[in-house]
Amino acid sequence: MADKAARLTLEGKDYDLPVLTPTVGPECIDIRKLYAEADVFTFDPGFTSTASCDSTITYIDGDKGELWYRGYPIEQLAENSHYLEVCYLLVYGELPNKQQMETFENLITRHTMVHEQLHYFFRGFRRDSHPMATMVGVVGAMSAFYHDSTDINDPKQRDIASIRLIAKLPTLAAMAYKYSIGQPFVYPRNDLDYAANFLHMCFSVPAEEYKVDPALARAMDLIFTLHADHEQNASTSTVRLAGSSGANPFACIAAGIACLWGPAHGGANQAALEMLQEIGSVDRIPEYIKRAKDKDDPFRLMGFGHRVYKNFDPRAKVMKQSADEVLALLGIENNETLKVAKELERIALEDEYFVSKKLYPNVDFYSGIILSAMGFPTSMFTPIFALSRTVGWISQWKEMIADPQGKIGRPRQLYVGADRRDYPEVSAR
Ligand code: SDX
C-alpha cells in the first residue's frame, strides 16, 4: 500500500510516484507507471537499488547483519530447528505442529528415490565432469519424467513438484558425487533423517556397513538450514525470471543451479577453500591481501564481501562455530586451513581496505572447511549449496506463481549502440 509519494521533476513536469511501505526495511518507490507517464526508464544494472518483487519469505538487514526466515532470526532456527522444519516454514509460511511435521517428513522421505531411468542420464557424462554440470543437466531432465507435476496452473501439481524437488535433490547430488568418483549409486534409506540420508548416499559403499556420525549429520543439517533461502539473490532472481514465463518448476530450478555455479555466487565456497589451500600457511597471507587490493589484479578474497551484508554475514558466524566443533570432533582442530582462515579473517577485519569497503566473511568462507573435513571434494561444495537452496528457490517460485499480479519479467535497456543507418553494398564498406 502507498500512503505517501515521491516527486520526480523531469523537464519541468512533476510526477508523483507512490512510496510503498514494508513491514521492515527500506521503503520502495513504485515506478511501474513511470515509462507510460514520463517515457523514461530507470537505470540500475546489477539491481543495486531495485526491488524486483514483494515477498513474505526472507528478510535481510545488511547493516545489522540480520537474516530472518518468515520472521524467525537465523540464529534461533540454527539453534532450535532442523532443516526439514525450516523447509516447511519456508514453503507454507508457518512452523509446523507435531502432526504437520510428521506428515511432511513422511511425504519427503517417500519421494527421495528418483525414476530408475534417470540413472542413464549420468552415464552420458564424462566421469570427470564437474558435479554442477551434471546437476544442471539431470535436474532439468526431471521435467522429462514427472509430467504429472509440470502444470504450473494447478496448485496440487505445484505442491507435488515442490515435494519432489526438496526430496530428490540430495539423491541427485549424491549420485553426481558417486558418478564422479566411479562408485555405484547408493539408494536413499527411509530409516535415516534427511541429512544422515545424504551422508549415507555419499559415503557408504556396498562392500561394508556405513554408520552415519550423528554429530556430522547435525552439522550437515545446519549447513542445509543456513543456505536454505536468501531473499532475491542472483540464483533466486533467475528462478523467478524463468518461472515468470510459465516454464515448469524443474526447468526453473535447473536455471537456478546454473546461476548459482558462478564463483561470485554459490561457486565461492569452492573458490574460497581452494584459495585458503593455495595460501597454505599464515605467513603467506600478506601477499594475498596485497593482491586483493590491487585494482590491476583480478584476484579477490573469495568468501569475503557481499552485495547486501555490510556487516558480518550472520550465517558465517554460525558456520565458524560449527567449523570449530566439527574439526574438534574429527580430531583435526590444528587444521592448517582453518588456521589460515581465522588469521586471514583477523587481518582482513583490521585492514583499512576491507574495513572501508565493509568486506566481511560471508556464508561461503567457512562452509568449505567443514565440508572438506567431512570428506567432500571442493567440487561438491556448490552442489550441496544447490540442494540446500532448492527449498528457497521453490518457495520463492510458488510465491511468484500464486501472485495474481504476476507478469513475465522483461527489463528494458539504455541503448547506446549505432543510430539508424542504411545497408551499404559490400563495395562501399
Ligand atoms: C553468495 O546475494 C546473495 O545473497 C548471495 C548469497 C546467497 O546466500 O544467495 O549470500 C551467496 O553469493 C555470497 C557471496 C559469495 N561470493 C564471494 O565470496 C566472491 C567474492 N566476493 C565478491 O566477488 C563480491 O564481494 C560480491 C560479488 C559478493 C559482491 O559484489 P558487489 O556487491 O557487486 O560489490 P563490488 O563487486 O562492487 O565490490 C565493491 C568493492 C569493489 O572495489 P571498488 O570498485 O569499490 O574499488 O569491494 C571490492 C571491489 O573490488 N571487493 C573486493 C571483494 N569483494 C568486493 N575486494 C577484494 N576481495 C573481495 N572479496
Side-chain angles (χ1 to χ4, degrees):
M1 71 285 191
D3 51 12
K4 58 183 179 182
R7 171 156 294 182
L8 173 70
T9 302
L10 209 55
E11 292 173 0
K13 196 161 176 244
D14 291 343
Y15 302 89
D16 286 335
L17 302 169
V19 174
L20 307 176
T21 309
T23 307
V24 60
E27 292 177 326
C28 292
I29 299 173
D30 186 342
I31 57 165
R32 280 174 287 186
K33 295 194 172 62
L34 182 63
Y35 178 53
E37 289 172 3
D39 198 29
V40 292
F41 298 141
T42 57
F43 185 69
D44 185 15
F47 311 119
T48 48
S49 305
T50 295
S52 61
C53 62
D54 55 18
S55 180
T56 61
I57 299 172
T58 293
Y59 174 70
I60 304 173
D61 183 318
D63 295 327
K64 294 181 189 161
E66 286 180 347
L67 165 58
W68 308 341
Y69 291 162
R70 299 285 189 183
Y72 297 103
I74 192 68
E75 296 85 351
Q76 294 185 26
L77 293 169
E79 177 72 29
N80 305 304
S81 186
H82 58 88
Y83 182 67
L84 274 194
E85 185 178 70
V86 165
C87 286
Y88 187 100
L89 173 66
L90 288 170
V91 171
Y92 300 112
E94 297 295 338
L95 285 166
N97 61 34
K98 192 169 180 302
Q99 179 54 53
Q100 289 165 330
M101 189 65 240
E102 280 172 12
T103 305
F104 182 69
E105 186 145 24
N106 187 44
L107 201 52
I108 295 291
T109 299
R110 274 156 183 74
H111 278 84
T112 49
M113 284 178 71
V114 294
H115 191 294
E116 193 68 4
Q117 280 192 223
L118 261 172
H119 290 205
Y120 298 116
F121 277 93
F122 287 87
R123 307 251 178 270
F125 293 103
R126 287 173 42 144
R127 287 280 180 178
D128 60 355
S129 308
H130 193 294
M132 282 298 277
T134 318
M135 293 278 284
V136 170
V138 177
V139 172
M142 287 174 81
S143 24
F145 284 85
Y146 301 110
H147 300 292
D148 61 339
S149 60
T150 51
D151 176 359
I152 63 156
N153 299 306
D154 176 351
K156 281 197 177 53
Q157 292 199 31
R158 296 204 294 263
D159 206 44
I160 186 63
S162 306
I163 296 294
R164 280 175 163 152
L165 282 158
I166 295 167
K168 296 178 194 304
L169 258 285
T171 307
L172 293 172
M175 290 170 75
Y177 173 52
K178 285 302 204 186
Y179 186 73
S180 73
I181 57 175
Q183 288 186 0
F185 297 140
V186 175
Y187 287 98
R189 277 183 28 189
N190 292 352
D191 62 322
L192 296 176
D193 68 37
Y194 194 88
N197 209 0
F198 177 64
L199 291 175
H200 184 263
M201 288 189 285
C202 288
F203 296 127
S204 76
V205 288
E208 61 187 20
E209 177 76 14
Y210 175 80
K211 292 290 285 169
V212 179
D213 181 326
L216 292 187
R218 174 78 194 120
M220 188 79 261
D221 190 275
L222 179 61
I223 286 180
F224 291 162
T225 293
L226 294 174
H227 288 80
D229 193 47
H230 213 240
E231 201 216 65
Q232 305 311 319
N233 59 85
S235 52
T236 298
S237 300
T238 301
V239 170
R240 279 181 171 260
L241 199 55
S244 73
S245 75
N248 75 68
F250 305 106
C252 295
I253 299 304
I257 294 173
C259 176
L260 186 77
W261 194 359
H265 190 13
N269 52 20
Q270 173 174 349
L273 192 84
E274 287 166 354
M275 174 193 74
L276 292 171
Q277 290 170 337
E278 183 190 328
I279 293 175
S281 62
V282 167
D283 59 310
R284 293 187 65 205
I285 290 175
E287 167 197 338
Y288 284 84
I289 295 266
K290 186 163 168 285
R291 282 188 58 196
K293 295 185 209 174
D294 178 354
K295 277 267 155 271
D296 300 325
D297 187 332
F299 173 79
R300 287 193 162 182
L301 280 187
M302 301 315 279
F304 274 81
H306 199 279
R307 171 61 60 76
V308 175
Y309 290 123
K310 301 309 171 192
N311 194 323
F312 246 94
D313 180 335
R315 302 166 297 177
K317 282 185 185 171
V318 180
M319 205 78 83
K320 180 175 175 179
Q321 187 189 333
S322 180
D324 284 334
E325 291 162 6
V326 168
L327 270 63
L329 176 82
L330 296 171
I332 47 177
E333 54 269 44
N334 294 324
N335 175 295
E336 195 57 33
T337 307
L338 182 62
K339 265 194 238 163
V340 169
K342 288 187 170 179
E343 181 59 9
L344 178 60
E345 177 189 336
R346 186 191 65 76
I347 295 174
L349 294 184
E350 290 171 0
D351 184 289
E352 178 45 34
Y353 173 91
F354 294 91
V355 172
S356 64
K357 293 179 189 296
K358 299 184 177 176
L359 301 175
Y360 289 86
N362 58 47
V363 67
D364 294 308
F365 187 61
Y366 283 103
S367 55
I369 292 169
I370 302 171
L371 294 172
S372 175
M374 285 180 170
F376 289 105
T378 55
S379 61
M380 274 303 290
F381 292 2
T382 311
I384 288 169
F385 192 152
L387 82 84
S388 312
R389 181 57 56 86
T390 293
V391 65
W393 290 330
I394 272 296
S395 305
Q396 300 270 352
W397 171 78
K398 287 182 86 170
E399 181 177 69
M400 179 200 66
I401 295 289
D403 179 352
Q405 292 182 34
K407 47 190 336 127
I408 190 166
R410 205 279 186 214
R412 302 303 304 273
Q413 64 178 9
L414 173 71
Y415 177 68
V416 292
D419 201 342
R420 189 189 183 288
R421 51 186 174 167
D422 294 324
Y423 181 84
E425 289 307 319
V426 173
S427 56
R429 291 175 201 167

